[in-house]
Short mmCIF file of all heavy atoms in Angstrom, two decimals:
data_model
loop_
_atom_site.label_atom_id
_atom_site.label_comp_id
_atom_site.label_asym_id
_atom_site.label_seq_id
_atom_site.Cartn_x
_atom_site.Cartn_y
_atom_site.Cartn_z
N MET A 14 5.95 -192.20 41.64
CA MET A 14 4.77 -191.38 41.91
C MET A 14 5.19 -189.96 42.29
O MET A 14 6.30 -189.72 42.72
CB MET A 14 3.93 -191.98 43.04
CG MET A 14 3.32 -193.33 42.68
SD MET A 14 2.27 -193.23 41.23
CE MET A 14 1.76 -194.95 41.10
N SER A 15 4.26 -189.07 42.10
CA SER A 15 4.57 -187.66 42.29
C SER A 15 3.29 -186.89 42.49
O SER A 15 2.22 -187.35 42.12
CB SER A 15 5.29 -187.15 41.04
OG SER A 15 5.18 -185.75 40.94
N TYR A 16 3.42 -185.71 43.08
CA TYR A 16 2.30 -184.78 43.07
C TYR A 16 2.29 -184.08 41.72
O TYR A 16 3.32 -183.98 41.06
CB TYR A 16 2.45 -183.74 44.19
CG TYR A 16 1.79 -184.14 45.49
CD1 TYR A 16 2.12 -185.35 46.10
CD2 TYR A 16 0.86 -183.31 46.12
CE1 TYR A 16 1.53 -185.72 47.30
CE2 TYR A 16 0.26 -183.68 47.32
CZ TYR A 16 0.60 -184.89 47.91
OH TYR A 16 0.00 -185.25 49.09
N ILE A 17 1.12 -183.61 41.31
CA ILE A 17 1.03 -182.77 40.12
C ILE A 17 0.30 -181.49 40.51
O ILE A 17 -0.41 -181.45 41.51
CB ILE A 17 0.25 -183.46 38.97
CG1 ILE A 17 -1.15 -183.85 39.43
CG2 ILE A 17 1.01 -184.67 38.45
CD1 ILE A 17 -2.08 -184.25 38.29
N ILE A 18 0.49 -180.43 39.73
CA ILE A 18 -0.21 -179.16 39.98
C ILE A 18 -1.29 -179.00 38.92
O ILE A 18 -1.00 -178.99 37.73
CB ILE A 18 0.79 -177.99 39.97
CG1 ILE A 18 1.73 -178.12 41.17
CG2 ILE A 18 0.04 -176.65 40.02
CD1 ILE A 18 2.81 -177.05 41.25
N THR A 19 -2.51 -178.89 39.37
CA THR A 19 -3.65 -178.79 38.45
C THR A 19 -3.80 -177.37 37.91
O THR A 19 -3.12 -176.44 38.34
CB THR A 19 -4.95 -179.18 39.15
OG1 THR A 19 -5.26 -178.18 40.12
CG2 THR A 19 -4.84 -180.54 39.83
N ASP A 20 -4.74 -177.21 36.99
CA ASP A 20 -5.01 -175.90 36.39
C ASP A 20 -5.58 -174.90 37.40
O ASP A 20 -5.74 -173.72 37.07
CB ASP A 20 -5.97 -176.05 35.21
CG ASP A 20 -5.32 -176.77 34.04
OD1 ASP A 20 -4.08 -176.87 34.02
OD2 ASP A 20 -6.05 -177.21 33.14
N GLU A 21 -5.88 -175.35 38.61
CA GLU A 21 -6.36 -174.43 39.65
C GLU A 21 -5.25 -173.45 40.06
O GLU A 21 -5.53 -172.40 40.66
CB GLU A 21 -6.80 -175.22 40.89
CG GLU A 21 -7.96 -176.16 40.66
CD GLU A 21 -9.21 -175.42 40.22
OE1 GLU A 21 -9.59 -174.47 40.90
OE2 GLU A 21 -9.78 -175.80 39.18
N CYS A 22 -4.01 -173.79 39.77
CA CYS A 22 -2.86 -172.98 40.18
C CYS A 22 -2.98 -171.54 39.71
O CYS A 22 -3.26 -171.27 38.55
CB CYS A 22 -1.57 -173.59 39.62
SG CYS A 22 -0.08 -172.63 39.95
N ILE A 23 -2.77 -170.60 40.66
CA ILE A 23 -2.83 -169.17 40.34
C ILE A 23 -1.42 -168.56 40.28
O ILE A 23 -1.25 -167.34 40.31
CB ILE A 23 -3.69 -168.40 41.35
CG1 ILE A 23 -3.20 -168.63 42.79
CG2 ILE A 23 -5.16 -168.82 41.22
CD1 ILE A 23 -3.90 -167.75 43.84
N SER A 24 -0.41 -169.44 40.22
CA SER A 24 0.98 -169.02 40.08
C SER A 24 1.44 -168.03 41.16
O SER A 24 2.17 -167.08 40.88
CB SER A 24 1.22 -168.41 38.69
OG SER A 24 1.00 -169.39 37.69
N CYS A 25 1.04 -168.28 42.41
CA CYS A 25 1.43 -167.38 43.50
C CYS A 25 2.88 -167.63 43.92
O CYS A 25 3.51 -166.76 44.49
CB CYS A 25 0.50 -167.55 44.68
SG CYS A 25 0.69 -169.13 45.53
N GLY A 26 3.39 -168.86 43.69
CA GLY A 26 4.77 -169.16 44.00
C GLY A 26 5.06 -169.56 45.43
O GLY A 26 6.20 -169.87 45.77
N ILE A 27 4.04 -169.57 46.29
CA ILE A 27 4.25 -169.89 47.70
C ILE A 27 4.85 -171.28 47.89
O ILE A 27 5.68 -171.49 48.76
CB ILE A 27 2.91 -169.80 48.48
CG1 ILE A 27 2.44 -168.35 48.56
CG2 ILE A 27 3.05 -170.40 49.88
CD1 ILE A 27 1.06 -168.18 49.18
N CYS A 28 4.45 -172.23 47.07
CA CYS A 28 4.87 -173.63 47.26
C CYS A 28 6.35 -173.86 46.97
O CYS A 28 6.94 -174.80 47.49
CB CYS A 28 4.03 -174.54 46.38
SG CYS A 28 4.09 -174.13 44.62
N VAL A 29 6.93 -173.02 46.13
CA VAL A 29 8.31 -173.27 45.68
C VAL A 29 9.29 -173.43 46.84
O VAL A 29 10.05 -174.40 46.89
CB VAL A 29 8.79 -172.12 44.76
CG1 VAL A 29 10.26 -172.31 44.40
CG2 VAL A 29 7.95 -172.10 43.49
N ASP A 30 9.26 -172.51 47.79
CA ASP A 30 10.20 -172.57 48.91
C ASP A 30 9.84 -173.64 49.93
O ASP A 30 10.65 -173.95 50.81
CB ASP A 30 10.28 -171.20 49.60
CG ASP A 30 11.04 -170.19 48.77
OD1 ASP A 30 11.79 -170.61 47.87
OD2 ASP A 30 10.87 -168.98 49.02
N GLU A 31 8.64 -174.19 49.85
CA GLU A 31 8.22 -175.22 50.80
C GLU A 31 8.70 -176.60 50.39
O GLU A 31 8.73 -177.53 51.20
CB GLU A 31 6.70 -175.24 50.91
CG GLU A 31 6.10 -173.95 51.46
CD GLU A 31 6.59 -173.66 52.88
OE1 GLU A 31 6.74 -174.60 53.65
OE2 GLU A 31 6.85 -172.48 53.18
N CYS A 32 9.06 -176.77 49.13
CA CYS A 32 9.45 -178.09 48.64
C CYS A 32 10.88 -178.42 49.09
O CYS A 32 11.82 -177.71 48.74
CB CYS A 32 9.36 -178.15 47.12
SG CYS A 32 9.84 -179.77 46.47
N PRO A 33 11.06 -179.50 49.86
CA PRO A 33 12.39 -179.85 50.38
C PRO A 33 13.36 -180.33 49.32
O PRO A 33 14.56 -180.35 49.55
CB PRO A 33 12.09 -180.95 51.40
CG PRO A 33 10.80 -181.55 50.95
CD PRO A 33 10.02 -180.41 50.34
N VAL A 34 12.85 -180.72 48.16
CA VAL A 34 13.74 -181.23 47.12
C VAL A 34 13.77 -180.32 45.88
O VAL A 34 14.27 -180.71 44.82
CB VAL A 34 13.34 -182.67 46.70
CG1 VAL A 34 13.56 -183.63 47.87
CG2 VAL A 34 11.89 -182.73 46.22
N GLU A 35 13.23 -179.10 46.03
CA GLU A 35 13.24 -178.11 44.95
C GLU A 35 12.70 -178.67 43.64
O GLU A 35 13.29 -178.48 42.57
CB GLU A 35 14.66 -177.55 44.76
CG GLU A 35 15.16 -176.83 46.02
CD GLU A 35 16.55 -176.20 45.84
OE1 GLU A 35 17.04 -176.14 44.71
OE2 GLU A 35 17.11 -175.76 46.86
N ALA A 36 11.57 -179.35 43.75
CA ALA A 36 10.96 -179.98 42.57
C ALA A 36 10.00 -179.05 41.83
O ALA A 36 9.56 -179.36 40.73
CB ALA A 36 10.21 -181.25 42.99
N ILE A 37 9.68 -177.90 42.43
CA ILE A 37 8.66 -177.02 41.85
C ILE A 37 9.29 -175.82 41.14
O ILE A 37 10.17 -175.16 41.68
CB ILE A 37 7.70 -176.50 42.94
CG1 ILE A 37 7.11 -177.69 43.73
CG2 ILE A 37 6.58 -175.67 42.31
CD1 ILE A 37 6.27 -177.29 44.92
N SER A 38 8.84 -175.59 39.92
CA SER A 38 9.34 -174.45 39.16
C SER A 38 8.20 -173.82 38.38
O SER A 38 7.14 -174.43 38.18
CB SER A 38 10.45 -174.88 38.21
OG SER A 38 9.95 -175.83 37.28
N GLU A 39 8.43 -172.59 37.92
CA GLU A 39 7.40 -171.89 37.18
C GLU A 39 7.36 -172.39 35.74
O GLU A 39 8.37 -172.36 35.04
CB GLU A 39 7.66 -170.38 37.21
CG GLU A 39 6.51 -169.59 36.58
CD GLU A 39 6.62 -168.09 36.87
OE1 GLU A 39 7.68 -167.66 37.37
OE2 GLU A 39 5.65 -167.38 36.59
N GLY A 40 6.18 -172.85 35.32
CA GLY A 40 6.04 -173.32 33.95
C GLY A 40 5.41 -172.25 33.07
O GLY A 40 5.35 -171.08 33.45
N GLU A 41 4.95 -172.64 31.93
CA GLU A 41 4.42 -171.68 30.97
C GLU A 41 3.10 -171.05 31.44
O GLU A 41 2.93 -169.84 31.41
CB GLU A 41 4.20 -172.38 29.63
CG GLU A 41 4.27 -171.45 28.44
CD GLU A 41 4.43 -172.22 27.14
OE1 GLU A 41 5.40 -173.00 27.03
OE2 GLU A 41 3.60 -172.04 26.25
N ASP A 42 2.17 -171.90 31.88
CA ASP A 42 0.86 -171.41 32.30
C ASP A 42 0.63 -171.50 33.80
O ASP A 42 -0.25 -170.84 34.34
CB ASP A 42 -0.25 -172.20 31.60
CG ASP A 42 -0.18 -172.03 30.09
OD1 ASP A 42 0.11 -170.91 29.63
OD2 ASP A 42 -0.41 -173.02 29.38
N LYS A 43 1.39 -172.34 34.47
CA LYS A 43 1.24 -172.53 35.90
C LYS A 43 2.54 -173.11 36.44
O LYS A 43 3.46 -173.36 35.67
CB LYS A 43 0.07 -173.47 36.19
CG LYS A 43 0.21 -174.85 35.54
CD LYS A 43 -1.03 -175.70 35.77
CE LYS A 43 -0.98 -177.00 35.00
NZ LYS A 43 0.09 -177.93 35.41
N PHE A 44 2.59 -173.32 37.75
CA PHE A 44 3.79 -173.92 38.31
C PHE A 44 3.74 -175.43 38.09
O PHE A 44 2.68 -176.01 37.94
CB PHE A 44 3.90 -173.56 39.79
CG PHE A 44 4.53 -172.20 40.00
CD1 PHE A 44 3.93 -171.06 39.49
CD2 PHE A 44 5.72 -172.07 40.69
CE1 PHE A 44 4.50 -169.80 39.66
CE2 PHE A 44 6.31 -170.81 40.86
CZ PHE A 44 5.71 -169.68 40.36
N GLU A 45 4.93 -176.03 38.03
CA GLU A 45 5.02 -177.45 37.70
C GLU A 45 5.91 -178.20 38.70
O GLU A 45 6.80 -177.61 39.31
CB GLU A 45 5.63 -177.61 36.30
CG GLU A 45 4.82 -176.94 35.20
CD GLU A 45 5.53 -176.93 33.85
OE1 GLU A 45 6.77 -177.07 33.80
OE2 GLU A 45 4.82 -176.77 32.84
N ILE A 46 5.66 -179.50 38.82
CA ILE A 46 6.45 -180.36 39.70
C ILE A 46 7.23 -181.36 38.86
O ILE A 46 6.67 -182.02 37.98
CB ILE A 46 5.53 -181.12 40.68
CG1 ILE A 46 4.86 -180.13 41.63
CG2 ILE A 46 6.32 -182.16 41.46
CD1 ILE A 46 3.77 -180.75 42.50
N ASP A 47 8.54 -181.45 39.14
CA ASP A 47 9.37 -182.44 38.44
C ASP A 47 9.12 -183.81 39.09
O ASP A 47 9.48 -184.03 40.25
CB ASP A 47 10.85 -182.05 38.58
CG ASP A 47 11.77 -182.99 37.81
OD1 ASP A 47 11.34 -184.12 37.48
OD2 ASP A 47 12.92 -182.60 37.55
N PRO A 48 8.49 -184.72 38.36
CA PRO A 48 8.16 -186.03 38.94
C PRO A 48 9.37 -186.87 39.32
O PRO A 48 9.27 -187.80 40.11
CB PRO A 48 7.33 -186.71 37.83
CG PRO A 48 7.75 -186.04 36.56
CD PRO A 48 8.10 -184.62 36.94
N GLU A 49 10.53 -186.53 38.75
CA GLU A 49 11.75 -187.26 39.07
C GLU A 49 12.26 -186.88 40.46
O GLU A 49 13.01 -187.63 41.09
CB GLU A 49 12.84 -186.94 38.04
CG GLU A 49 12.49 -187.32 36.62
CD GLU A 49 12.45 -188.83 36.42
OE1 GLU A 49 13.33 -189.52 36.98
OE2 GLU A 49 11.54 -189.31 35.73
N LEU A 50 11.87 -185.70 40.94
CA LEU A 50 12.37 -185.20 42.22
C LEU A 50 11.36 -185.33 43.35
O LEU A 50 11.72 -185.52 44.51
CB LEU A 50 12.78 -183.73 42.08
CG LEU A 50 13.92 -183.41 41.11
CD1 LEU A 50 14.11 -181.89 41.00
CD2 LEU A 50 15.21 -184.07 41.58
N CYS A 51 10.08 -185.21 43.04
CA CYS A 51 9.03 -185.18 44.06
C CYS A 51 8.99 -186.45 44.90
O CYS A 51 9.02 -187.56 44.37
CB CYS A 51 7.68 -184.98 43.38
SG CYS A 51 6.29 -184.98 44.53
N THR A 52 8.93 -186.26 46.23
CA THR A 52 8.87 -187.40 47.15
C THR A 52 7.49 -187.56 47.76
O THR A 52 7.30 -188.32 48.70
CB THR A 52 9.90 -187.22 48.28
OG1 THR A 52 9.61 -186.00 48.98
CG2 THR A 52 11.31 -187.16 47.73
N GLU A 53 6.51 -186.81 47.23
CA GLU A 53 5.12 -186.87 47.72
C GLU A 53 4.98 -186.51 49.19
O GLU A 53 4.17 -187.10 49.90
CB GLU A 53 4.53 -188.26 47.49
CG GLU A 53 4.37 -188.60 46.02
CD GLU A 53 3.43 -189.80 45.83
OE1 GLU A 53 3.83 -190.91 46.21
OE2 GLU A 53 2.31 -189.60 45.33
N CYS A 54 5.78 -185.53 49.64
CA CYS A 54 5.71 -185.17 51.06
C CYS A 54 4.43 -184.41 51.40
O CYS A 54 4.00 -184.38 52.53
CB CYS A 54 6.93 -184.34 51.44
SG CYS A 54 6.93 -182.67 50.76
N GLY A 55 3.85 -183.74 50.40
CA GLY A 55 2.60 -183.02 50.62
C GLY A 55 2.73 -181.59 51.11
O GLY A 55 1.73 -180.91 51.30
N SER A 56 3.96 -181.12 51.31
CA SER A 56 4.16 -179.76 51.83
C SER A 56 3.58 -178.70 50.90
O SER A 56 3.02 -177.70 51.36
CB SER A 56 5.65 -179.48 52.02
OG SER A 56 6.17 -180.31 53.05
N CYS A 57 3.69 -178.90 49.60
CA CYS A 57 3.16 -177.92 48.65
C CYS A 57 1.64 -177.83 48.75
O CYS A 57 1.07 -176.73 48.72
CB CYS A 57 3.59 -178.27 47.23
SG CYS A 57 3.20 -179.96 46.72
N ALA A 58 1.00 -178.96 48.92
CA ALA A 58 -0.46 -178.97 49.04
C ALA A 58 -0.89 -178.28 50.33
O ALA A 58 -1.93 -177.60 50.37
CB ALA A 58 -0.97 -180.40 49.00
N ASP A 59 -0.09 -178.43 51.38
CA ASP A 59 -0.43 -177.82 52.68
C ASP A 59 -0.45 -176.30 52.62
O ASP A 59 -1.24 -175.66 53.31
CB ASP A 59 0.57 -178.27 53.75
CG ASP A 59 0.39 -179.72 54.14
OD1 ASP A 59 -0.68 -180.29 53.84
OD2 ASP A 59 1.31 -180.28 54.76
N VAL A 60 0.43 -175.71 51.83
CA VAL A 60 0.52 -174.25 51.80
C VAL A 60 -0.25 -173.61 50.65
O VAL A 60 -0.49 -172.41 50.65
CB VAL A 60 1.99 -173.77 51.72
CG1 VAL A 60 2.76 -174.22 52.96
CG2 VAL A 60 2.66 -174.23 50.46
N CYS A 61 -0.66 -174.40 49.67
CA CYS A 61 -1.34 -173.83 48.50
C CYS A 61 -2.72 -173.29 48.84
O CYS A 61 -3.54 -173.99 49.42
CB CYS A 61 -1.47 -174.91 47.42
SG CYS A 61 -2.29 -174.27 45.93
N PRO A 62 -3.01 -172.02 48.48
CA PRO A 62 -4.29 -171.41 48.81
C PRO A 62 -5.46 -171.96 48.00
O PRO A 62 -6.61 -171.76 48.37
CB PRO A 62 -4.06 -169.92 48.51
CG PRO A 62 -2.98 -169.90 47.49
CD PRO A 62 -2.08 -171.07 47.83
N VAL A 63 -5.16 -172.64 46.90
CA VAL A 63 -6.25 -173.14 46.04
C VAL A 63 -6.23 -174.66 45.88
O VAL A 63 -6.89 -175.23 45.02
CB VAL A 63 -6.22 -172.46 44.66
CG1 VAL A 63 -6.53 -170.97 44.79
CG2 VAL A 63 -4.89 -172.67 43.96
N GLU A 64 -5.40 -175.33 46.71
CA GLU A 64 -5.32 -176.79 46.69
C GLU A 64 -5.03 -177.36 45.29
O GLU A 64 -5.60 -178.35 44.87
CB GLU A 64 -6.61 -177.41 47.25
CG GLU A 64 -6.84 -177.03 48.71
CD GLU A 64 -8.14 -177.60 49.29
OE1 GLU A 64 -8.73 -178.49 48.66
OE2 GLU A 64 -8.54 -177.15 50.36
N ALA A 65 -4.12 -176.69 44.61
CA ALA A 65 -3.77 -177.13 43.25
C ALA A 65 -2.89 -178.38 43.20
O ALA A 65 -3.06 -179.19 42.30
CB ALA A 65 -3.10 -175.98 42.49
N PRO A 66 -1.94 -178.56 44.15
CA PRO A 66 -1.12 -179.78 44.08
C PRO A 66 -1.91 -180.98 44.61
O PRO A 66 -2.46 -180.94 45.72
CB PRO A 66 0.07 -179.47 44.99
CG PRO A 66 0.03 -178.00 45.23
CD PRO A 66 -1.44 -177.64 45.17
N ILE A 67 -1.95 -182.04 43.83
CA ILE A 67 -2.63 -183.26 44.26
C ILE A 67 -1.77 -184.47 43.89
O ILE A 67 -0.96 -184.38 42.97
CB ILE A 67 -4.02 -183.42 43.57
CG1 ILE A 67 -3.86 -183.45 42.05
CG2 ILE A 67 -4.97 -182.30 43.99
CD1 ILE A 67 -5.13 -183.85 41.31
N PRO A 68 -1.93 -185.59 44.59
CA PRO A 68 -1.17 -186.78 44.23
C PRO A 68 -1.57 -187.24 42.83
O PRO A 68 -2.75 -187.31 42.50
CB PRO A 68 -1.58 -187.81 45.28
CG PRO A 68 -2.14 -187.01 46.42
CD PRO A 68 -2.77 -185.80 45.78
N ALA A 69 -0.60 -187.56 42.00
CA ALA A 69 -0.87 -187.94 40.62
C ALA A 69 -1.64 -189.25 40.53
O ALA A 69 -2.35 -189.50 39.57
CB ALA A 69 0.43 -188.05 39.84
N ASP A 70 -1.50 -190.08 41.55
CA ASP A 70 -2.18 -191.37 41.52
C ASP A 70 -3.53 -191.32 42.22
O ASP A 70 -4.10 -192.34 42.56
CB ASP A 70 -1.30 -192.45 42.16
CG ASP A 70 -0.87 -192.10 43.58
OD1 ASP A 70 -0.98 -190.92 43.96
OD2 ASP A 70 -0.43 -193.01 44.30
N ASP A 71 -4.03 -190.12 42.46
CA ASP A 71 -5.28 -189.95 43.19
C ASP A 71 -6.48 -190.35 42.34
O ASP A 71 -6.50 -190.06 41.16
CB ASP A 71 -5.43 -188.48 43.62
CG ASP A 71 -6.42 -188.35 44.76
OD1 ASP A 71 -6.48 -189.26 45.59
OD2 ASP A 71 -7.14 -187.35 44.80
S1 SF4 B 104 4.82 -183.16 47.41
FE1 SF4 B 104 6.64 -182.43 48.53
S2 SF4 B 104 8.39 -183.12 47.26
FE2 SF4 B 104 6.56 -183.16 45.95
S3 SF4 B 104 6.51 -181.18 44.92
FE3 SF4 B 104 5.22 -181.03 46.77
S4 SF4 B 104 6.60 -180.20 48.36
FE4 SF4 B 104 7.89 -180.99 46.68
S1 SF4 B 105 1.01 -172.53 46.03
FE1 SF4 B 105 -0.62 -173.38 44.70
S2 SF4 B 105 -1.35 -171.63 43.49
FE2 SF4 B 105 0.62 -171.06 44.37
S3 SF4 B 105 2.13 -171.58 42.75
FE3 SF4 B 105 1.99 -173.33 44.16
S4 SF4 B 105 0.46 -174.68 43.23
FE4 SF4 B 105 0.22 -172.67 42.27
#
């Protein structure tokens, strides 16, 4: 399981440094989470101004 970043993402980049496992990177249209690395800690969702990261199994 992993968090995913929805299309709400405005590519501000704030979440990147908050991820303890460096799972977040800039994608083509928005930022993306590597599901192989994500531990579902929720830190990215806590700092995101538009609540774009959500649990994939939600
Ligand atoms: S939930 Fe945690 S581990 Fe997963 S991408 Fe967000 S900050 Fe990184
Ligand atoms: S903090 Fe939210 S809006 Fe900013 S890059 Fe991350 S997911 Fe996108």
